[in-house]
Amino acid sequence: MVKSCLDDPAARYGAEPGGASAPAKAKITFVDSHGQARTVEGESGATVMETALRNDIPEIAAECGGACACATCHVYVDASWTEKTGKASQMEEDMLDFAFGVKPNSRLCCQITVKPELDGLVVSTPAQQG
Amino acid sequence: MSEMIETDVVIVGAGPAGLFAVFELGLLDIKAHLIDILPRPGGQCSELYPEKPIYDIPGLPIVTGQELTDRLLAQIAPFHPTFHFNEMVEKLESTGSATAPSFRLATDAGKVFSCKVVFVAAGGGSFQPKKPPIPGIDAYEGKSVFYAVRRIEDFRDKHVVIIGGGDSALDWTLNLQPVAKSLTLVHRRDAFRAAPHSVNAMHELAAAGKIDFRLGQVTHVEGADGQLHAATIRGNDGADKLIACERLVPFFGLTMKLGPVADWGLNLHENLTPVDTEKFETSHPGIFAIGDINTYPGKLKLILCGFHEAALAAQQAYHYVYPGKKLVFQYTTSSTNLQKKLGVV
Ligand SMILES: Cc1cc2nc3c(=O)[nH]c(=O)nc-3n(C[C@H](O)[C@H](O)[C@H](O)COP(=O)(O)OP(=O)(O)OC[C@H]3O[C@@H](n4cnc5c(N)ncnc54)[C@H](O)[C@@H]3O)c2cc1C
Ligand code: FES
């Protein structure tokens, strides 16, 4: 049976995927420590860490669930994207002390929020998080 | 020398599930000791998100991880649980039978417990130090690589290298400097997450040439038979420097690892212990598993589920602790008997 828009509140309010107010998406590529790349879609407003977990990306542990308290969501931001992702906050810098092999382009990806400007973002993951 | 402690129940893990179990057991006149490798109670709540709000604790619309821990401690205070912090439960052996269970547990600090019932409330596992990915480091652990300082004497007249920029790294830099032959502090940046006075004291020692402070990371170690001789430090400028190193102390914080729970002969599915949903008992009579460590159809890793599991497990524990005695169900609101135990009448 065909459902009219009016019968289906979710569709009416645009809450269905692809509906008018569905969140904007951005493609994010995760390159693992063996060089394998996986490109997935992240929703605007979610974090890069959440996007990784939802898509079963390996090498992201995220033990603290995004509380910036574990440093097991460490990524290296591709050089061409570091300007757009911005710098780590003071709290994040402190937490990066507990990550391994930290480099100038290191970030904790639970602290990067997906937004349309980050469409195409490339990050790579270290071999060891915890 | 080992100390033998006798009690009704030993609770492995002082996270929210373990803490609330004290309450439910206490109402049934069952005494408990809690053991945790962390230096304080609260498990994930106090270790991973003390300041973050939790919104799904029934009756508490908003409460932080630390507040919840503090409230649980207040709630269980009438039962005077004994805490053993900074101790890892390493061994769990059965000393009884299926109908009259009893157990012996041993910690890494040499304490031995004898009890009738064990509550495994080990959550996501024990919080253990993170081990840096330095090739071959495992061979030196416990001999010349240490993740905590237990005996200062182990460092006397040794070339000591400490890695890290938090309070532990700085405190031990200051404390070991007087006994070490040389001390090098390696940190990735010239900023620290530590008490300012310790940071100043460290800089003064460095300026006076009493310690060496290097910006960079330790990338390689050399030695033989578990004894380190040297370490390579890759400076932030990319240059490698080989320095004498007989003791290495990396401080990279903690991570949850299942740990010794895996060696206790319990059934494990993907690092979780299956239990029934009536008593939350494992396949081993007398050993219960509550909170994040257990699994059953429909399991949710929520604090409130751990509370429910603790209440039901305590009922069955009663029958092991007081065999043959009848258990009468009572409310804390109306039972003067329970209120006496809570110290409110
Ligand atoms: C960032 C974050 C946010 C969360 N938010 C919520 C929320 O909003 N609502 C909610 O309901 N849940 C939330 N949770 C989940 C919740 O914290 C867990 O469900 C809860 O902590 C589990 O409690 P537990 O007592 O089973 O185990 P844990 O809290 O993991 O405690 C287990 C303890 O056992 C110790 N231990 C383990 N093995 C040994 C051993 N062999 N010897 C000695 N000690 C040992 C560990 O060191 C640890 O302290 C959140 C978790 C995280 C990480
Ligand atoms: S998930 Fe723990 S710091 Fe990012």
Side-chain angles (χ1 to χ4, degrees):
Chain A
M1 206 185 87
V2 181
K3 264 192 183 172
S4 101
C5 231
L6 292 169
D7 297 331
D8 184 353
R12 192 163 64 219
Y13 294 117
E16 297 230 297
S21 64
K25 310 252 185 198
K27 282 206 163 53
I28 301 174
T29 301
F30 295 87
V31 183
D32 71 20
S33 60
H34 308 286
Q36 190 180 338
R38 295 174 179 84
T39 302
V40 300
E41 274 197 344
E43 270 183 18
S44 233
T47 67
V48 172
M49 178 279 280
E50 287 167 331
T51 308
L53 291 198
R54 280 177 203 160
N55 292 284
D56 296 319
I57 298 293
E59 298 181 346
I60 302 270
E63 267 177 23
C64 79
C68 198
C70 71
T72 62
C73 63
H74 178 201
V75 297
Y76 303 110
V77 175
D78 186 83
S80 52
W81 286 92
T82 48
E83 210 160 292
K84 286 219 174 80
T85 52
K87 280 211 164 29
S89 67
Q90 181 63 47
M91 177 174 76
E92 187 183 338
E93 275 295 341
D94 284 348
M95 210 56 219
L96 275 167
D97 284 351
F98 293 138
F100 303 127
V102 175
K103 298 179 193 167
N105 60 338
S106 285
R107 289 293 307 270
L108 296 176
C109 68
C110 68
Q111 303 300 307
I112 306 176
T113 305
V114 177
K115 50 189 176 183
E117 300 91 287
L118 291 183
D119 189 29
L121 174 67
V122 180
V123 299
S124 54
T125 45
Q128 190 180 328
Q129 293 276 9
Chain B
M1 237 209 42
S2 58
E3 198 183 325
M4 171 72 110
I5 298 166
E6 279 188 46
T7 181
D8 297 331
V9 179
V10 168
I11 303 174
V12 181
L19 292 177
F20 193 65
V22 171
F23 186 85
E24 291 294 337
L25 291 166
L27 289 179
L28 308 182
D29 289 319
I30 303 173
K31 291 259 169 289
H33 282 240
L34 295 112
I35 310 171
D36 205 302
I37 182 73
L38 290 178
R40 58 184 161 271
Q44 295 174 45
C45 300
S46 58
E47 187 59 31
L48 291 176
Y49 58 101
E51 319 264 293
K52 290 244 163 186
I54 310 171
Y55 299 102
D56 58 353
I57 303 298
L60 295 175
I62 175 169
V63 64
T64 66
Q66 189 56 51
E67 266 177 79
L68 177 67
T69 305
D70 294 344
R71 283 167 180 257
L72 284 167
L73 288 173
Q75 191 166 24
I76 67 177
F79 301 113
H80 309 290
T82 315
F83 290 97
H84 305 265
F85 291 121
N86 295 308
E87 286 186 49
M88 173 89 94
V89 179
E90 285 196 323
K91 289 209 187 91
L92 166 57
E93 289 162 2
S94 172
T95 51
S97 64
T99 43
S102 65
F103 302 93
R104 185 175 302 132
L105 296 94
T107 72
D108 61 350
K111 279 186 205 158
V112 180
F113 295 78
S114 145
C115 59
K116 298 199 176 79
V117 169
V118 175
F119 273 28
V120 180
S126 53
F127 281 94
Q128 295 179 23
K130 279 193 202 164
K131 302 177 176 185
I134 301 171
I137 191 171
D138 305 13
Y140 302 97
E141 284 168 3
K143 298 189 183 118
S144 52
V145 172
F146 298 95
Y147 297 101
V149 177
R150 290 239 159 138
R151 294 188 335 136
I152 290 195
E153 280 312 303
D154 292 339
F155 298 82
R156 186 172 294 281
D157 297 325
K158 302 287 184 198
H159 294 289
V160 178
V161 177
I162 294 179
I163 317 175
D167 279 310
S168 309
L170 286 211
D171 289 350
W172 286 113
T173 296
L174 302 180
N175 289 329
L176 293 179
Q177 182 274 328
V179 300
K181 188 185 277 175
S182 75
L183 193 144
T184 307
L185 174 65
V186 183
H187 184 39
R188 69 176 187 97
R189 57 179 184 144
D190 193 4
F192 297 84
R193 192 173 71 146
H197 64 87
S198 322
V199 179
N200 292 341
M202 184 281 290
H203 278 305
E204 277 164 25
L205 286 176
K210 294 192 170 158
I211 66 161
D212 194 10
F213 169 46
R214 291 186 168 272
L215 285 172
Q217 354 209 333
V218 174
T219 52
H220 286 94
V221 288
E222 288 171 23
D225 304 325
Q227 295 304 323
L228 285 175
H229 303 150
T232 304
I233 300 171
R234 175 151 311 155
N236 286 356
D237 53 4
D240 282 351
K241 166 111 181 143
L242 189 69
I243 62 161
C245 169
E246 295 166 303
R247 294 287 181 266
L248 181 67
V249 199
F251 288 111
F252 283 99
L254 303 173
T255 183
M256 274 185 290
K257 290 265 155 69
L258 182 61
V261 176
D263 310 326
W264 299 343
L266 299 173
N267 268 343
L268 286 175
H269 281 295
E270 295 183 352
N271 285 347
L272 300 169
T273 316
V275 288
D276 63 66
T277 49
E278 185 191 331
K279 314 179 293 285
F280 298 94
E281 196 165 16
T282 66
S283 55
H284 200 119
I287 304 182
F288 297 80
I290 57 169
D292 279 13
I293 189 75
N294 75 15
T295 182
Y296 51 84
K299 166 74 182 179
L300 290 179
K301 285 190 187 183
L302 285 177
I303 295 165
L304 77 92
C305 297
F307 291 168
H308 162 81
E309 294 158 14
L312 267 60
Q315 299 284 312
Q316 177 64 21
Y318 181 88
H319 296 296
Y320 291 130
V321 176
Y322 298 110
K325 254 185 151 181
K326 207 170 155 254
L327 181 55
V328 187
F329 177 76
Q330 303 171 84
Y331 290 118
T332 53
T333 325
S334 44
S335 156
T336 47
N337 177 23
L338 292 187
Q339 287 166 0
K340 257 189 228 141
K341 295 178 196 175
L342 289 165
V344 291
V345 285

